[in-house]
């Protein structure tokens, strides 16, 4: 589920935040592509770590 | 007063005072629960249609999500109507619907909350013992940490308790609520409303879980060690006042007499105070 959440929610969320800030093609990528890379990577990290914030119960 | 009264007299006096407050129909609970839900629901079209700016809607949503918990908690205790009477449907409607912004199933909340009442501060049987912390900042941090999946899943504490009481069937509610919540967030995000979804639902929910756990569980029970009827919680003067602390300055009144409506606990406290002092309850600050 964290992987899905990273790609399906954080991905477009980061993209729309960058759009709102007027960042056109950050690092030569579309905002959605970069959002999916960052959000997806965070989701993959959260899945394997069992935590979005490193600390876990 | 306390020194002069016997155990039986204290008990009788306490029961008499408590009964006075428990017999009222708490009209404010359904009004609060249903209107709070309507306000939160109305934020969505108001924001989508650019009638209300998101920066104003966000704090309102935070208040809504926090405020949705208390009417549901009143319903858990059958404050509107206990099982049987005609208005029981209203009690259950408020319980189920007012918790919706929190994406929290009422049945799970109800069953685990009863276990909390039965086993306050018990290290294994109290589902809310996870809020036990060293201090206020640690309590907030713990709230964040304990909602991580870790090794046991997000409903780890509640799931364990529900299994223990033979009601793991209601975990289905949790799965359905979670799937609905996530599906709504994903659909909104992929239709260009990710920031709106984040600020009207996702972030308020996370902020308010911490807020509710802090005031509803940590603050009144800290250090959450004693388990006696009169010392499993304390009376405390909150720096942010009674409303902002969700009325939890008087939380022990609720544990002693769960049928007293939340809005009556300050008055019940003032009347019961001599008895509570005689019972050796804990008081922190100048609470009136």
């Amino acid at each position: 589920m964290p992987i899905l959440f990273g790609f399906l929610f954080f991905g477009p969320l980061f993209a729309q935040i960058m759009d709102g800030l007027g960042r056109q093609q950050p690092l030569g990528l579309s905002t959605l592509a970069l959002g999916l890379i960052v959000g997806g990577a965070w989701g993959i990290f959260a899945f394997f770590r069992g935590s979005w914030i490193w600390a876990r119960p | 007063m306390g020194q002069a009264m016997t155990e039986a007299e204290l008990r009788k006096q306490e029961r008499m005072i408590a009964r006075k407050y428990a017999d009222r129909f708490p009209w404010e609970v359904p009004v609060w629960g249903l209107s709070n839900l309507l306000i939160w629901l109305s934020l969505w079209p108001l924001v989508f249609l650019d009638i209300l700016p998101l920066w104003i809607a966000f704090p309102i949503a935070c208040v809504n999500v926090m405020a949705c918990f208390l009417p549901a908690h009143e319903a858990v205790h059958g404050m509107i109507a206990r099982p049987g009477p005609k208005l029981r449907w209203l009690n259950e409607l408020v319980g189920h619907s007012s918790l919706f912004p929190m994406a929290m199933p009422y049945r799970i909340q109800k069953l685990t909350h009863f276990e909390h009442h039965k086993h306050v501060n018990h290290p294994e049987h109290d589902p809310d013992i996870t809020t036990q912390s060293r201090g206020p900042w640690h309590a907030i941090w713990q709230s964040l940490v304990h909602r991580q999946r870790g090794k046991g899943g997000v409903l780890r504490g509640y799931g364990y308790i529900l299994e223990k009481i033979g009601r793991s069937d209601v975990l289905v509610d949790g799965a359905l609520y979670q799937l609905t919540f996530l599906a709504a967030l994903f659909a909104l995000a992929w239709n260009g409303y990710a920031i709106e979804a984040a600020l009207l639902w996702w972030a308020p929910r996370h902020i308010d879980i911490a807020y509710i756990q802090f005031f509803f569980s940590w603050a009144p029970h800290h250090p959450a060690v004693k388990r006696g009827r009169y010392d499993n919680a304390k009376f405390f003067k909150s720096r942010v006042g009674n409303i902002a602390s969700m009325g939890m300055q008087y939380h022990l009144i609720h544990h002693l007499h769960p049928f007293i409506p939340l809005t009556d606990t300050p008055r019940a406290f003032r009347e019961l105070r001599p008895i509570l002092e005689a019972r050796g309850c804990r008081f922190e600050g100048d609470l009136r």
Side-chain angles (χ1 to χ4, degrees):
Chain A
M1 202 53 89
I3 297 177
L4 280 180
F5 196 83
F7 279 109
L8 296 180
F9 186 64
F10 280 145
L13 176 63
F14 294 156
Q16 286 165 39
I17 290 171
M18 284 186 279
D19 289 339
L21 294 172
R23 304 297 291 267
Q24 305 291 322
Q25 299 199 322
L27 306 172
L29 298 166
S30 70
T31 51
L32 183 59
L34 189 60
L36 288 172
I37 290 169
V38 176
W42 195 11
I44 291 168
F45 161 80
F47 175 76
F48 286 106
R49 175 70 189 161
S51 171
W52 292 89
I53 55 169
W54 187 260
R56 57 189 177 191
Chain B
M1 178 189 178
Q3 288 166 345
M5 290 175 88
T6 65
E7 166 69 29
E9 285 169 334
L10 276 174
R11 201 179 315 134
K12 188 180 168 192
Q13 192 77 9
E14 182 184 327
R15 208 176 299 146
M16 266 175 51
I17 296 170
R19 200 173 297 146
K20 269 198 323 191
Y21 294 98
D23 284 344
R24 180 177 73 83
F25 177 76
W27 56 268
E28 73 278 11
V29 176
V31 172
W32 175 355
L34 299 175
S35 59
N36 183 64
L37 175 67
L38 285 177
I39 292 169
W40 180 75
L41 288 173
S42 70
L43 292 177
W44 296 86
L46 288 173
V47 166
F48 290 168
L49 297 170
D50 286 327
I51 296 169
L52 189 69
L54 193 53
W55 65 270
I56 294 179
F58 170 56
I60 297 173
C62 285
V63 172
N64 285 146
V65 177
M66 183 269 286
C68 83
F69 183 79
L70 293 169
H73 172 248
E74 301 286 269
V76 159
H77 289 284
M79 217 74 85
I80 301 168
R82 285 159 217 172
K86 271 186 189 172
L87 282 177
R88 180 66 179 173
W89 65 271
L90 182 60
N91 189 83
E92 297 305 272
L93 175 70
V94 170
H96 282 285
S97 62
S98 70
L99 269 182
F100 184 69
M102 186 138 265
M104 174 79 185
Y106 175 59
R107 291 203 300 170
I108 290 182
Q109 174 58 26
K110 189 195 262 189
L111 291 166
T112 54
H113 189 64
F114 285 156
E115 291 304 298
H116 166 64
H117 272 262
K118 276 188 219 164
H119 307 286
V120 188
N121 298 340
H122 190 286
E124 284 177 24
H125 303 314
D126 180 355
D128 297 336
I129 196 68
T130 50
T131 61
Q132 188 182 44
S133 314
R134 293 189 294 273
W137 292 109
H138 187 227
I140 295 166
W141 175 245
Q142 285 284 89
S143 170
L144 284 176
V145 171
H146 275 283
R147 76 188 74 157
Q148 304 305 313
R149 183 167 52 88
K151 289 178 181 171
V154 283
L155 276 170
R156 178 185 322 100
Y158 280 10
Y160 164 76
I161 296 292
L162 290 168
E163 252 178 51
K164 184 178 75 76
I165 61 172
R167 288 306 307 270
S168 45
D169 57 302
V170 295
L171 285 171
V172 174
D173 297 14
L176 286 175
Y177 269 64
Q178 195 66 11
L179 285 174
T180 307
F181 175 60
L182 293 176
L185 291 184
F186 297 164
L188 286 162
W190 285 91
N191 282 286
Y193 295 109
I195 298 174
E196 289 81 354
L199 294 182
L200 294 181
W201 204 356
W202 177 76
R205 183 173 172 272
H206 274 290
I207 292 167
D208 290 330
I209 288 174
Y211 195 92
I212 290 166
Q213 289 184 333
F214 185 91
F215 280 114
F216 195 81
S217 186
W218 179 79
H221 290 292
H222 180 66
V225 173
K226 295 190 173 175
R227 298 182 47 218
R229 176 172 162 81
Y230 294 94
D231 61 10
N232 62 31
K234 67 189 175 195
F235 297 105
F236 67 101
K237 179 78 178 166
S238 169
R239 284 185 199 171
V240 297
N242 195 45
I243 292 175
S245 57
M246 305 173 75
M248 292 303 122
Q249 296 181 130
Y250 309 96
H251 190 61
L252 183 57
I253 295 289
H254 169 66
H255 272 275
L256 293 171
H257 302 285
F259 294 124
I260 296 180
L262 174 71
T263 48
D264 285 332
T265 54
R267 285 192 299 140
F269 164 78
R270 287 188 278 275
E271 203 170 337
L272 285 166
R273 182 155 192 159
I275 297 168
L276 300 168
E277 284 172 354
R279 291 291 195 181
C281 294
R282 284 183 293 158
F283 298 85
E284 279 181 14
D286 184 24
L287 184 61
R288 292 169 192 274

